[in-house]
Amino acid sequence: MDQVRFGIIGAGAVSDYHHVPGIELDPRAKLIAACDPNTELLEKRRSDWGVKKLYTNYHEMANDPDVDAVIIATPNDTHHPITMACLAGNKHVMCEKPLGLNFEQAAAMYREARDRNLKHMTAFTYRFAPAMRYLRHLVRSGMLGEPRHFRSQRFLDLPETSWGWRQYKANAGAGDLFDMTIHRIDLGMDLMGPLESICGAVAQFCPRDKTVSGHPCPPSDVDDWSALIGRFASGAVGVWEGSTVMKGYHYNGFGHEWAEVNGTEASAVYRLQEPNVILVGKHGESMSPLDVPEEFLVIPGSPRDPKVGVPSTVFRYDLVYELVSAIVEDRPAVPGFDHGAAAQAVADAVLKSSDGQHWVHLDLMLNESPTSDGSLQV
Ligand SMILES: NC(=O)c1ccc[n+]([C@@H]2O[C@H](COP(=O)([O-])OP(=O)(O)OC[C@H]3O[C@@H](n4cnc5c(N)ncnc54)[C@H](O)[C@@H]3O)[C@@H](O)[C@H]2O)c1
């Protein structure tokens, strides 16, 4: 295939911010179609993105023989039906996280893509941050010794007004847990291997019953704080905490993100605020900053110049490069739907644990797959 022809379903914020710049950067990719029921937005995208084919119904995109691959960036409750339709239409699919509203939906999406031999990818963006890629290398190469402990914090200082579809369980599945913490559950398992059991909790602080312009709206029924502790199959442990209403953690809209691995020899920390620098410390030392080596600033082969643009933004463009490479090289894209389903199983378990106030064992659902590292067999 000389060029992978893309269609985007969901012409909103993340498509504009992450995916279209990613397609524009990759000479092997071309955006040819966009789909959104919002016709005003769709018309705007015609000029914003220079896209010619416009659809308001995703079935038209799924059945368009000119489209090779789709990116699905719609509200969470639509991910499962849109993905299934696009796979039936023989499209390779990158779907935004969370893959579905629950593990059953996510696992069905994985099985369908696998059985149709189509490429599938979950948009777990933060895996592509340079310091995260380097942290993974330090863990995998044994530089930190035996990993003992993982910690993740994701704090955002968002307004307490309506969050649109994101604040309703029927559309979003959950709040901070499915929006933010699910990324970090994936990071934890990518670094430390499968989780065996977790104890989770969620809480809601804000009713979000007014729009930005002050009009009343139905109150939110999802969490705005989520947390878990977990035991990995390796014997290591992890702690995750996230919230969207942490005052003072604005940082130009990027918020605070911190993920660390503590091993028997050394510790290392990834931070979104400075994604090209890692903090490292060995026994008896204090943590100190180290520039991420050049070969980790972009994924191998990516034409992106890491010196161009805002560092906390531009690594997000590499997701498209990974999917296109998987299609062109005929290999699995990473992270796949299997990784998305595994993270979903853990996120579901957090809700179950929080409801029942008990630990949840995951070992029946998660297995080490022989084909794609640290993933799921379903
Ligand atoms: N990976 C990341 O870092 C990241 C970042 C932001 C958002 N997201 C995810 O991306 C998805 C979209 O988020 P967003 O912030 O762009 O939302 P958004 O509300 O800005 O955009 C969603 C768009 O989907 C459209 N839409 C709704 N139903 C549709 C349908 N049936 N067919 C086609 N289009 C439809 C809406 O009209 C809207 O334009 C969510 O699942 C979110 O969790 C991921």
Side-chain angles (χ1 to χ4, degrees):
M1 189 181 286
D2 288 343
Q3 197 161 44
V4 178
R5 296 163 302 174
F6 272 92
I8 285 188
I9 305 182
V14 76
S15 291
D16 194 45
Y17 186 52
H18 296 187
H19 302 308
V20 172
I23 294 172
E24 283 170 353
L25 267 171
D26 190 337
R28 305 165 304 170
K30 187 170 172 56
L31 179 64
I32 67 156
C35 169
D36 201 295
N38 180 341
T39 48
E40 206 178 314
L41 177 65
L42 204 52
E43 260 322 304
K44 182 171 166 357
R45 294 316 189 202
R46 186 198 292 277
S47 52
D48 288 350
W49 300 348
V51 64
K52 295 201 173 61
K53 288 190 178 195
L54 301 177
Y55 297 124
T56 51
N57 182 327
Y58 67 83
H59 289 287
E60 294 172 296
M61 178 83 89
N63 295 320
D64 182 340
D66 291 342
V67 173
D68 304 308
V70 296
I71 295 175
I72 299 171
T74 53
N76 305 346
D77 58 318
T78 65
H79 291 176
H80 173 262
I82 297 178
T83 296
M84 296 308 245
C86 291
L87 292 171
N90 210 33
K91 313 296 178 217
H92 305 291
V93 178
M94 168 151 48
C95 182
E96 273 299 346
K97 42 50 64 180
L99 275 192
L101 293 180
N102 52 50
F103 171 73
E104 287 71 26
Q105 287 189 354
M109 292 158 73
Y110 167 60
R111 278 192 223 103
E112 191 71 9
R114 181 198 59 192
D115 295 350
R116 289 180 180 273
N117 205 18
L118 289 162
K119 305 303 172 200
H120 49 90
M121 184 165 166
T122 307
F124 281 137
T125 313
Y126 301 87
R127 279 199 189 207
F128 292 79
M132 179 52 68
R133 297 189 60 245
Y134 190 49
L135 175 58
R136 187 176 196 272
H137 167 74
L138 294 179
V139 170
R140 297 275 166 130
S141 62
M143 308 270 274
L144 305 182
E146 199 60 43
R148 285 176 169 161
H149 174 253
F150 170 80
R151 174 191 304 280
S152 164
Q153 289 177 330
R154 180 67 172 131
F155 298 155
L156 286 157
D157 183 356
L158 298 183
E160 298 193 8
T161 45
S162 166
W163 222 14
W165 62 264
R166 275 183 168 80
Q167 68 175 19
Y168 302 114
K169 198 171 175 187
N171 305 116
D176 177 73
L177 176 65
F178 280 15
D179 205 48
M180 300 292 162
T181 298
I182 198 160
H183 278 288
R184 284 83 210 173
I185 291 171
D186 172 67
L187 293 178
M189 291 195 289
D190 185 41
L191 294 167
M192 313 288 281
L195 273 161
E196 208 168 64
S197 56
I198 63 100
C199 184
V202 295
Q204 191 203 54
F205 299 111
C206 311
R208 297 184 185 279
D209 54 3
K210 290 202 175 52
T211 64
V212 181
S213 49
H215 292 104
C217 65
S220 168
D221 58 0
V222 297
D223 60 282
D224 42 34
W225 173 84
S226 59
L228 62 148
I229 55 174
R231 292 187 187 283
F232 293 94
S234 66
V237 293
V239 183
W240 292 252
E241 190 185 12
S243 177
T244 48
V245 289
M246 296 302 230
K247 310 305 177 203
Y249 281 101
H250 191 265
Y251 294 107
N252 295 321
F254 289 111
H256 159 81
E257 178 171 30
W258 174 287
E260 73 182 88
V261 174
N262 310 108
T264 49
E265 304 295 326
S267 299
V269 179
Y270 145 82
R271 294 161 304 155
L272 176 61
Q273 298 96 310
E274 270 199 89
N276 295 348
V277 174
I278 195 161
L279 300 179
V280 190
K282 291 189 179 142
H283 178 55
E285 296 176 355
S286 300
M287 302 293 279
S288 55
L290 186 73
D291 286 341
V292 170
E294 204 152 314
E295 66 264 35
F296 292 92
L297 294 180
V298 296
I299 64 168
S302 166
R304 188 171 62 78
D305 180 349
K307 292 185 229 51
V308 173
V310 177
S312 302
T313 297
V314 291
F315 64 81
R316 301 160 200 260
Y317 307 160
D318 282 355
L319 273 80
V320 168
Y321 191 83
E322 168 59 16
L323 178 62
V324 175
S325 299
I327 295 168
V328 170
E329 296 163 17
D330 192 19
R331 59 155 176 88
V334 179
F337 282 0
D338 41 354
H339 301 98
Q344 190 86 49
V346 178
D348 287 3
V350 171
L351 293 174
K352 193 172 164 191
S353 172
S354 185
D355 280 351
Q357 303 201 1
H358 54 68
W359 280 78
V360 175
H361 290 269
L362 296 153
D363 45 355
L364 290 176
M365 289 191 278
L366 296 170
N367 288 305
E368 193 72 28
S369 159
T371 50
S372 56
D373 51 350
S375 69
L376 179 79
Q377 283 187 329
V378 284

